[in-house]
RNA sequence: GCCCGCUUGAUGGAAUUGGUAGACAUAACGGACUUAAAAUCCGUAGCCUUCGGGCGUGCCGGUUCGAGUCCGGCAGCGGGCACCA
């Protein structure tokens, strides 16, 4: 009995079971395991140094899936690693003088031990870190294979250049047109860079989305929009007084009669050529180049243009001259970098036309609107309608007019039907130190020469300094000096490194054979484990990481590495963790643990007692200090409590509000279960005792709920409705706590119920699960115990409660035998006093009977 | 700017295909236990009410016997936009 008086020692129990799992290698994945494979993967973390709540949520979700699938009889692969290259390591080096390698490796060690304290069922023997040559040597080889397969090329591309730091800036490092650290005005620069031909797979990546039926619809839609397939027309405009022509891509060839100008991007060859002899234009181009490279910056900027003085001749409208502008909203990377503007039917064109006093001619009349009365005000009309003011296109609907316009231009020999994608090739060159070296040698005679395979890996030198601006690889005294592998002459190594998305585009495959030294992974292992059955991570990766990984998988297939096209068969995108924000009287942010909530609800600063103003709940971020450190929570409440809270209240794809009350609630449940089992233990029959012949009504009812709960929780877990699963388990717990265990039947049903609760909660609170399972008298580990079985006879109900409505409003409920006949149900419903009162003696006009569900009497 | 998502009690959320709105929890209140507190246990609870009932799922309108769920419009909040990962 002393067991009930003891408190559950969270720290001791969690350490104990972690050691047991570790010792027995409970989570080792083996290819020779005959059970059906299940590969569950969470997005691996950037080793920032400490885990944050987002990680706790992500990895808890994955662990529940992994443990559940294991219990369901799968051979589970559940690995973990480190996305270890990236900018923060270099920032730390510049700010604190720590070497990125040291900083990163120490961070990995710290985070590994934090993750281990969560009791996650990883096969740690498969751990990888992308910053180690054992990992990145293989991606250098992959790059060279892609090169051979014609999937890599080199071209000039624009970057944000910080003239003080002599570095390329990421978009997020450009703030209001200035470098974040230096404050210098950012310039755009053209650099020669490596590109991967993701556009070669544009159509395939789009088509493949249809097969991803276990992906969230919105992610597929985001990718579809990102790829941005459009059908249209490429056509040439003759330029007055010049021999060359202007090539334009349009998805609206139907609106050619409404054209009032042409515009080219600031980087368009025509613009650049003309800027040489036009200082005004040169200044405008320079200004556009300062705008930053992000699409958001371009689109939100005021539409501006510079008239070149040139005129283009509209190929559709004989003799019509259109002024040619250089405009800041035309993108060189999309289509041909040149457009024609039809202001009446495109908002950007309209804004532009209004600003520069260009004509606005409507050529599409909304359905049912008199052509004569079509007027364009401040809003362009981009919807369907009927062509007007358009010569031989008049009267046609938009779709037919598009087709006819294309036919006309093709017949005239000035245009061709074309499919265009918004998707651009992936620039993978980064002018940074802490990344995977690109295995290329530049020779004055032979050009860009691949590093021979036997010379891989090209190791990142660690003897570098960060005291000078620019790329440390560039400053290194010897590293880049090599002989050309082809001609032997003195040559230079490529000093750019890969985009870190490169590493994360194939790590899921590396986990299949992480120890393989000759290549990234073996074909056998990839064929066995891929695709990932369930991938889990943040929605912020909905487009880039996931699209790059899908592209890589196709490219790797092309090169014979693997046989699948889609890397992730199932995808779960989890929401963010939010927390209330606090500011002190001076408007400075405060950490939650600096704030005290008094009994009257007022918030004050801990210690000083000064008033604190409460802000709404926002995504946890260091800048707003609304963060809670998981390490402290795990230390105080244990991993199981943190895990349960992560699963309890919000569905995984939704944002989750971190609250002290929520974590308290989870902790209370943990202790309640512990006490319940302890209290019941002396009364329970031995494990495996056969069902007594008669149980009694309370025990029978409890059994029914136990088996119903197994069924419901199973369904909920399959669909990732973890919060509902928790609610069902708590309901069963509530029932069991009221079940009298004095008689044989009650005690038997209580054991079955408690064992069920322990087994169902196991994937969520694995340490408590093991502890209670062992206390209930089982020698085998809970992780090696299969999911509980359902007795289907206990799921059958013989009567149902049916709602009775009058005119759609609830007036009462009746108890009916299951699948009762409609006539009988109707009679029972009409016999209800509340129904009779509503009818007031008149016969009902109609009675709708939905079997086992509802009866609606229409008065 | 473009694309996407979300909005249900004081709070997080639940509600098969349209079929009893508010499961489960949190906070609150009342009670038991305690010298007291904590913990624990039991109970109450959408709002209004003349106790018949009426009103309630961001707002306005529609479809339907019946709408949180479907359709149209509007508002608020959040995410992504190619060099953060």
């Amino acid at each position: 009995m002393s067991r009930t008086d003891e408190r559950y020692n969270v720290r001791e129990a969690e350490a104990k079971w972690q050691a047991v799992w570790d010792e027995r290698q409970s989570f080792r994945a083996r290819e020779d395991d005959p059970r059906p494979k299940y590969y569950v993967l969470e997005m691996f973390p950037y080793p920032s140094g400490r885990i944050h709540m987002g990680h706790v949520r992500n990895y808890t979700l994955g662990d529940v899936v992994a443990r559940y699938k294991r219990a369901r009889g799968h051979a589970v692969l559940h690995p973990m690693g480190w996305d270890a290259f990236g900018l923060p390591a270099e920032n730390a080096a510049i700010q604190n003088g720590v070497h990125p390698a040291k900083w990163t490796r120490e961070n990995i060690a710290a985070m590994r031990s934090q993750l281990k304290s969560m009791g996650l069922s990883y096969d740690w023997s498969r751990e990888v870190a992308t910053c180690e040559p054992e990992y990145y040597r293989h991606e250098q080889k992959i790059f060279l294979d892609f090169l051979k397969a014609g999937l890599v090329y080199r071209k000039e591309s624009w970057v944000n250049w910080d003239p003080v730091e002599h570095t390329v800036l990421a978009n997020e490092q450009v703030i209001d047109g200035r470098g974040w650290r230096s404050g210098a005005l950012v310039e755009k620069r053209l650099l020669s860079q490596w590109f991967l031909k993701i556009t070669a797979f544009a159509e395939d990546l789009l088509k493949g989305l249809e097969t991803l039926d276990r992906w969230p619809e919105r992610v597929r839609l985001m990718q579809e929009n990102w790829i941005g397939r459009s059908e249209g027309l490429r056509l040439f405009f003759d330029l007055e007084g010049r021999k060359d022509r202007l090539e334009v891509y349009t998805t609206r060839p139907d609106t050619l009669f409404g054209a009032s100008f042409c515009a080219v991007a600031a980087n368009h060859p025509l613009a650049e050529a003309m800027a040489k002899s036009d200082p005004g234009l040169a200044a405008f181009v320079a200004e556009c180049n300062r705008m930053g490279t992000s699409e958001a910056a371009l689109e939100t900027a005021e539409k501006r243009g510079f008239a070149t003085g040139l005129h283009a001749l509209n190929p559709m409208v004989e003799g019509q001259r259109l002024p040619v502008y250089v405009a800041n909203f035309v993108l060189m990377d999309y289509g041909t970098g040149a457009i024609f503007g039809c202001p009446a039917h495109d908002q950007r064109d309209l804004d532009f036309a209004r600003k520069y006093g260009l004509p606005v001619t409507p050529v599409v009349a909304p359905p049912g609107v008199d052509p004569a009365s079509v007027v364009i005000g401040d809003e362009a009309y981009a919807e369907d309608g009927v062509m007007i003011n358009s010569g031989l296109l008049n009267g046609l609907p938009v779709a037919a007019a598009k087709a006819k316009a294309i036919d006309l231009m093709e017949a005239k020999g000035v245009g061709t039907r074309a499919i265009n994608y918004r998707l651009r090739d992936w620039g993978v060159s980064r002018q940074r130190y802490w990344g995977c070296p690109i295995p290329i040698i530049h020779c004055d005679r032979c050009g860009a020469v691949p590093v021979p395979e036997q010379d891989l890996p090209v190791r990142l030198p660690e003897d570098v300094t960060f005291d000078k601006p620019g790329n440390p690889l560039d400053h290194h005294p010897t590293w880049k000096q090599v002989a050309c592998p082809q001609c032997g002459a003195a040559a230079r190594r490529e000093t750019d490194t890969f985009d870190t998305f490169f590493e994360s585009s194939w790590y899921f495959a590396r986990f299949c054979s992480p120890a393989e030294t000759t290549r990234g992974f073996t074909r056998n292992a990839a064929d066995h484990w891929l695709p990932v059955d369930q991938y889990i991570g943040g929605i912020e990766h909905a487009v880039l990481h996931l699209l790059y990984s899908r592209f890589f998988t196709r490219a790797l297939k092309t090169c014979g590495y693997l046989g699948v096209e889609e890397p992730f068969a199932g995808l779960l995108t989890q929401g963010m963790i939010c927390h209330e924000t606090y500011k002190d009287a001076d408007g400075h942010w405060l950490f939650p643990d600096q704030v005290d909530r008094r009994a009257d609800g007022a918030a004050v600063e801990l210690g000083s007692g000064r008033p604190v103003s409460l802000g709404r709940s926002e995504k946890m971020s260091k800048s707003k200090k609304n963060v809670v450190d998981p390490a402290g929570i795990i230390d105080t409440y244990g991993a199981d409590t943190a895990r349960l809270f992560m699963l309890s209240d919000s569905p995984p794809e939704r944002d989750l509000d971190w609250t002290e009350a929520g974590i308290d609630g989870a902790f209370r449940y943990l202790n309640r279960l512990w006490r319940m089992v302890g209290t019941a233990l002396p009364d329970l029959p031995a494990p495996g005792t056969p069902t007594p012949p008669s149980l009694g009504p309370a025990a029978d009812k409890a059994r029914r709920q136990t088996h119903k709960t197994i069924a419901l929780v199973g369904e909920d877990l399959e669909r990732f409705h973890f919060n509902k699963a928790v609610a069902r388990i708590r309901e069963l717990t509530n029932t069991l706590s009221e079940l009298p265990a004095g008689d044989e039947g009650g005690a038997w049903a209580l054991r079955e119920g408690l064992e069920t609760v322990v087994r169902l909660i196991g994937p969520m609170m694995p340490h408590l699960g093991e502890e209670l399972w062992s206390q209930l008298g089982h020698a085998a580990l809970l992780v090696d115990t299969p999911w509980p079985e359902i007795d289907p006879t206990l799921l059958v109900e013989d009567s149902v409660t049916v709602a009775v409505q009058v005119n759609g409003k609830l007036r009462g409920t009746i108890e009916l035998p299951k699948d009762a006949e409609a006539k009988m149900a109707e009679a029972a419903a009409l016999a209800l006093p509340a129904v009779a009162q509503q009818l007031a003696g008149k016969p009902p006009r109609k009675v709708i009977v939905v079997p086992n569900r509802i009866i609606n009497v229409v008065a």
Side-chain angles (χ1 to χ4, degrees):
Chain A
M1 285 297 280
S2 69
R3 157 68 177 68
T4 47
D5 304 330
E6 287 168 30
R7 274 184 66 91
Y8 176 50
N9 188 330
V10 175
R11 232 186 278 193
E12 212 171 85
E14 295 192 344
K16 174 173 89 184
W17 292 111
Q18 283 164 21
V20 171
W21 296 324
D22 200 36
E23 195 180 298
R24 302 206 193 173
Q25 300 191 358
S26 295
F27 309 120
R28 266 292 174 92
R30 295 175 206 282
E31 277 84 65
D32 57 10
D33 192 321
R35 296 173 300 174
K37 71 97 183 177
Y38 193 90
Y39 184 179
V40 55
L41 181 67
E42 300 105 58
M43 291 180 184
F44 65 164
Y46 179 79
S48 57
R50 303 185 68 78
I51 61 171
H52 56 66
M53 284 299 174
H55 295 129
V56 175
R57 190 179 198 189
N58 194 176
Y59 303 147
T60 298
L61 295 171
D63 201 49
V64 173
V65 173
R67 287 174 181 269
Y68 170 71
K69 289 292 175 183
R70 186 182 307 280
R72 278 267 139 127
H74 286 91
V76 171
L77 172 59
H78 188 209
M80 181 42 75
W82 311 97
D83 191 11
F85 277 136
L87 266 183
E90 283 188 64
N91 292 335
I94 293 166
Q95 276 157 23
N96 311 324
V98 202
H99 192 281
K102 181 171 153 44
W103 186 82
T104 302
R105 287 180 190 133
E106 285 173 2
N107 285 351
I108 287 175
M111 285 177 77
R112 185 193 298 114
S113 94
Q114 289 194 318
L115 286 188
K116 288 197 168 177
S117 75
M118 281 183 65
L120 302 163
S121 63
Y122 293 128
D123 178 351
W124 281 106
S125 73
R126 293 180 186 247
E127 178 182 358
V128 302
T130 59
C131 64
E132 303 300 339
E134 292 73 32
Y135 184 90
Y136 67 68
R137 65 179 299 159
H138 303 297
E139 81 184 32
Q140 293 175 338
K141 169 81 163 69
I142 288 171
F143 175 79
L144 296 178
D145 285 335
F146 286 0
L147 188 63
K148 271 187 229 152
L151 293 171
V152 178
Y153 66 100
R154 200 163 163 75
K155 77 166 180 187
E156 302 232 291
S157 160
W158 293 91
V159 294
N160 299 311
W161 180 258
D162 186 318
V164 171
E165 295 203 354
H166 295 277
T167 52
V168 175
L169 297 177
N171 282 335
E172 72 152 13
Q173 296 174 320
V174 181
I175 294 156
D176 297 330
R178 291 173 182 275
W180 67 332
R181 227 174 348 227
S182 68
L185 272 177
V186 170
E187 299 166 7
K188 271 202 210 167
R189 271 209 181 180
L190 261 186
L191 289 183
S192 189
Q193 310 196 64
W194 294 100
F195 282 78
L196 298 191
K197 266 194 209 166
I198 189 172
T199 55
F201 293 90
E203 191 64 35
D204 197 48
L205 287 165
L206 185 64
K207 283 264 164 58
L209 290 173
E210 291 166 23
T211 68
L212 298 174
D213 56 342
R214 290 198 295 117
W215 277 41
E217 183 57 38
R218 63 169 168 152
V219 174
R220 286 190 286 172
L221 204 74
M222 280 164 90
Q223 294 217 348
E224 188 181 320
N225 291 333
W226 189 261
I227 295 167
R229 184 184 197 274
S230 68
E231 291 181 19
L233 172 70
R234 269 174 189 264
L235 85 163
F236 290 97
F237 285 68
D238 284 327
L239 291 168
E240 211 172 57
R242 288 177 68 109
K243 290 218 175 79
D244 53 344
R245 300 187 295 176
L246 186 62
E247 189 183 9
V248 162
Y249 173 77
T250 179
T251 58
R252 294 300 304 271
D254 54 311
T255 64
L256 270 164
F257 282 93
S260 61
F261 65 95
C262 282
V264 302
N267 321 128
H268 192 278
L270 183 67
E272 291 186 339
M274 295 190 73
K276 284 185 184 138
S277 56
D278 183 341
L281 179 56
F284 181 74
V285 168
E287 207 184 314
C288 288
N289 284 346
R290 273 200 297 276
M291 252 197 336
T293 55
S294 85
E295 190 179 314
L298 296 177
E299 293 266 349
T300 47
E302 190 194 353
K303 310 290 172 276
R304 293 175 55 213
F306 190 95
T308 59
L310 281 180
H311 285 85
L313 299 174
N314 190 335
M316 184 67 99
V317 185
E318 198 68 45
Q320 189 190 43
R321 300 165 74 239
L322 303 173
V324 177
Y325 287 80
V326 175
N328 64 355
F329 64 93
V330 180
L331 304 171
M332 191 57 221
D333 291 315
Y334 184 80
T336 61
I339 62 156
F340 78 81
C342 174
H345 306 290
D346 181 286
Q347 193 60 47
R348 283 174 308 185
D349 295 350
L350 183 62
D351 294 345
F352 191 80
R354 292 287 186 229
K355 188 173 171 87
Y356 294 101
L358 298 163
V360 177
T361 312
V363 291
V364 180
V369 172
D370 174 24
S373 66
V374 176
V375 180
I376 301 294
D378 291 336
E379 264 181 54
Y381 180 76
E383 309 295 311
D384 196 8
V386 174
M387 303 310 297
I388 55 172
N389 304 327
S390 294
L392 65 183
L393 298 180
N394 278 340
L396 291 173
V398 166
K402 280 184 187 175
K404 188 163 180 185
I406 293 172
D407 289 345
L408 287 169
M409 293 299 97
E410 284 192 324
K412 216 173 164 184
V414 292
T416 47
R417 188 179 301 270
I419 290 168
N420 191 61
Y421 298 91
R422 204 183 76 101
L423 181 69
R424 309 199 297 252
D425 278 333
W426 175 14
V428 294
S429 300
R430 295 292 181 271
Q431 297 68 39
R432 312 210 179 282
Y433 165 70
W434 193 236
C436 171
I438 299 178
I440 293 288
I441 290 164
H442 296 282
C443 169
D444 288 335
R445 214 175 312 165
C446 311
V449 181
V451 171
E453 276 175 29
Q454 67 271 17
D455 294 345
L456 296 182
V458 177
R459 282 173 186 272
L460 193 62
E462 297 202 0
D463 53 333
V464 291
T465 54
F466 293 86
D467 45 4
K468 272 187 278 183
N471 184 351
L473 282 184
D474 228 8
H475 310 146
H476 193 281
T478 55
W479 183 75
K480 68 178 175 183
Q481 270 111 49
V482 282
C484 170
Q486 252 167 47
C487 70
R492 303 166 314 281
R493 278 192 196 285
E494 170 83 50
T495 56
D496 283 356
T497 51
F498 284 130
D499 178 4
T500 56
F501 274 123
F502 210 104
E503 283 85 54
S504 55
S505 294
W506 70 283
Y507 79 111
F508 49 87
R510 178 65 178 168
F511 280 136
C512 297
S513 46
E516 180 63 35
T517 53
T518 60
R519 69 205 101 155
F521 49 93
T522 67
R523 179 69 197 252
N524 275 349
D527 285 347
H528 180 75
W529 292 112
L530 294 177
V532 173
D533 295 277
Q534 190 59 50
Y535 196 36
I536 305 171
I539 184 71
E540 63 273 22
H541 292 292
V543 178
L544 291 184
H545 162 59
L546 291 170
L547 193 63
Y548 290 153
S549 298
R550 296 181 62 222
F551 156 62
F552 246 65
T553 306
R554 284 163 170 79
L556 287 169
K557 188 185 178 196
T558 305
C559 298
Y561 275 82
L562 42 69
V564 296
E565 294 201 330
E566 291 294 346
F568 313 120
L571 175 69
L572 174 64
T573 51
Q574 107 236 7
M576 298 174 306
I577 313 283
C578 301
H579 195 284
E580 215 170 28
T581 49
Y582 310 102
K583 274 187 182 174
D584 68 13
D586 305 326
H588 299 120
W589 299 106
L590 293 174
F591 286 107
D593 56 14
Q594 294 176 284
V595 175
D596 188 29
R597 295 302 286 270
R598 289 199 316 225
D600 59 0
V604 296
E605 215 177 319
L606 211 63
S608 73
R610 297 199 308 161
V612 167
S613 60
L614 301 180
R616 61 188 184 81
S617 184
E618 292 185 63
K619 175 184 178 174
M620 279 191 182
S621 76
K622 277 182 198 150
S623 61
K624 290 182 182 148
K625 296 195 175 178
N626 60 337
V627 289
V628 175
D629 186 358
I633 296 295
I634 292 170
D635 217 42
T636 315
Y637 301 94
D640 284 343
T641 300
R643 293 168 58 122
L644 182 66
F645 174 61
M646 283 294 163
L647 300 163
S648 293
D649 282 345
S650 298
E653 28 334 288
R654 211 111 44 111
D655 288 352
L656 180 143
D657 256 308
W658 179 272
T659 60
E660 192 71 23
I663 197 82
D664 282 342
F667 191 56
R668 264 203 297 276
Y669 180 72
L670 172 139
N671 285 302
R672 185 177 171 210
L673 251 192
W674 163 262
R675 272 195 313 272
M676 258 179 84
V677 170
T679 311
L681 221 41
D683 301 327
L684 298 183
T689 305
T691 323
S694 113
L695 287 165
D700 187 67
K701 212 176 146 213
R703 279 208 78 196
R704 286 178 177 277
Q705 194 181 337
T706 296
H707 284 262
K708 208 169 175 179
T709 303
I710 300 171
L712 288 171
V713 169
E715 280 169 35
D716 287 338
L717 293 186
E718 293 286 348
R719 294 185 204 156
F720 311 130
H721 294 173
F722 304 109
N723 55 326
K724 287 169 65 184
V726 171
R728 300 289 155 251
I729 296 170
R730 294 183 95 132
E731 275 178 325
L732 178 58
T733 311
N734 290 344
T735 299
L736 295 175
S737 71
E738 288 161 19
L739 181 63
D743 61 294
E744 188 196 16
W748 194 91
L750 185 58
R751 167 171 282 278
E752 184 187 45
L754 287 174
E755 287 196 350
T756 301
V757 167
V758 167
R759 291 160 82 180
L760 297 183
I761 207 79
M764 307 178 192
M765 307 178 84
H767 310 89
L768 180 73
E770 289 290 3
E771 184 64 36
L772 294 181
W773 189 244
S774 110
Q775 289 191 7
L776 282 162
H778 297 277
L781 291 186
L782 184 60
V783 284
D784 297 324
T785 304
W787 198 245
E789 302 225 5
I790 302 165
D791 179 347
T793 62
L794 292 171
L795 300 183
V796 183
E797 302 282 356
D798 38 13
S799 79
V800 285
T801 309
V802 174
V804 180
Q805 299 180 332
V806 177
N807 292 335
K809 280 187 182 158
L810 186 72
R811 296 296 166 185
T813 58
I814 48 177
E815 198 73 14
L816 288 173
K818 191 152 193 268
D819 301 320
E821 280 192 40
K823 284 226 175 89
M824 176 190 167
E826 184 177 328
L830 291 173
L832 272 183
V835 173
Q837 189 193 327
Q838 289 291 322
L839 286 173
K842 288 177 214 149
R845 286 201 294 164
K846 199 162 144 194
V847 179
I848 288 144
V849 179
V850 182
N852 301 327
R853 211 162 274 254
I854 204 165
I855 298 158
N856 190 12
V857 178
V858 185

